[in-house]
Amino acid sequence: MSARETQIVRDPSKLRFLTDAARLSGDRVGLVPTMGALHSGHLSLVDEAVRCCDLAVVSVFVNPTQFGPGEDFERYPRDLERDAAALCERGVALIFAPEVDALYPEGHSTSVRVSGLSAGLCGANRPGHFEGVATIVTKLFNIVGPCRAIFGRKDYQQLKVIERMVADLDMPVEVAGLPTVRERDGLALSSRNAYLSAEQRARALSLSRGLAAAHALWRDGERSVGALREAALIPVQRSADRVDYVTAADPQTLFELDDGDFAPGKLLIAAAARVGPTRLIDNTVLGEDSPPGSASEEE
Ligand code: AMP
């Protein structure tokens, strides 16, 4: 597809009209929801949408309802022109970039809450965050009507919340979760990495280093939850300014395990920490993902 064929649409009803027409003509519609400031992690999802669907839609919308008071909604990086150029190059047909008022007009008062899965990990530190996420994703699904929606495992809890929501509410969409794309040294790509100074970036690496340390123990046969969690925690404790959590949990239910437990099968290790004012998250599933920073990981 040439650059000229990519369209930026701001109006939800126009977007719906275009995707309705595509589906009517038999096209498979794919959706990648993003908040923009796109990097190679986002673009790996976009490539999958272009590959698997006839019409790829990427939403670029910094969703206010998933930010808490005092979080970085105002200063979140925004550069639609640069994002659009990258999406054009990848063959994306439609970019949906609505204004806040178009999605949350005065009087908007409905939200979607996924209980259980939303409660722990980031849900405990960011009250209301996953309600904001579930609500905006529901709205995007209703506007775009995708056959397939593609998310990253970088936001592992978000992926599980959305999978649950789609199953519980019988939403006619297939959800795909793609691997975390990392820098060569293991740092997970994130739009928020742009906030980091060189010194902070070096300390931010402690999250993926901790996950890699847990992988090394796992590979050597360690199955004690306490030992695996501790391996992930130590570098973060040493380098971050504040540790929100380093948790071991069941990868499906997100049920948090005690240090005295033994890993039943696969084990999710998830971390959230602040480096300077920037809150970073990372995770890995032991027994499933390749270790951060290993040659087999994507870049
Ligand atoms: P965001 O713009 O942060 O809301 O992210 C949009 C989508 O991109 C979400 O499904 C994220 O999980 C995914 N994503 C963000 N960073 C990465 C990454 N490093 N690798 C793969 N997917 C990512």
Side-chain angles (χ1 to χ4, degrees), residues 129-168:
H129 170 69
F130 288 111
E131 194 164 329
V133 168
T135 304
I136 189 64
V137 171
T138 300
K139 288 167 71 71
L140 292 170
F141 284 178
N142 286 336
I143 294 165
V144 176
C147 311
R148 195 152 199 255
I150 300 148
F151 296 86
R153 285 165 66 97
K154 160 76 170 36
D155 298 271
Y156 190 87
Q157 186 175 15
Q158 169 176 286
L159 174 65
K160 293 295 136 186
V161 165
I162 290 162
E163 285 174 350
R164 182 83 256 165
M165 176 185 84
V166 163
D168 289 353

Side-chain angles (χ1 to χ4, degrees), residues 102-116:
L103 291 192
Y104 299 108
E106 223 183 293
H108 187 284
S109 44
T110 303
S111 65
V112 180
R113 190 167 55 84
V114 179
S115 52

Side-chain angles (χ1 to χ4, degrees), residues 33-36 39 41-42 45 76 151-152 154-155 158 179-181 189:
T34 82
M35 297 203 299
H39 50 63
H42 296 114
L45 314 184
Y76 196 86
F151 296 86
K154 160 76 170 36
D155 298 271
Q158 169 176 286
T180 300
V181 178
L189 296 187

Side-chain angles (χ1 to χ4, degrees), residues 27-31 48-56 147-148 150:
D27 281 353
R28 245 172 95 75
V29 175
L31 170 67
E48 172 64 11
V50 170
R51 195 193 59 75
C52 73
C53 297
D54 304 298
L55 183 89
C147 311
R148 195 152 199 255
I150 300 148

Side-chain angles (χ1 to χ4, degrees), residues 1 5-9 14-19 22 29-31 55-59 87 91-97 144:
M1 177 170 291
E5 286 172 279
T6 304
Q7 232 182 306
I8 300 180
V9 180
K14 178 164 183 208
L15 199 281
R16 184 181 288 122
F17 174 83
L18 292 169
T19 52
V29 175
L31 170 67
L55 183 89
V57 181
V58 176
S59 59
L87 294 172
V92 168
L94 294 175
I95 299 170
F96 180 43
V144 176

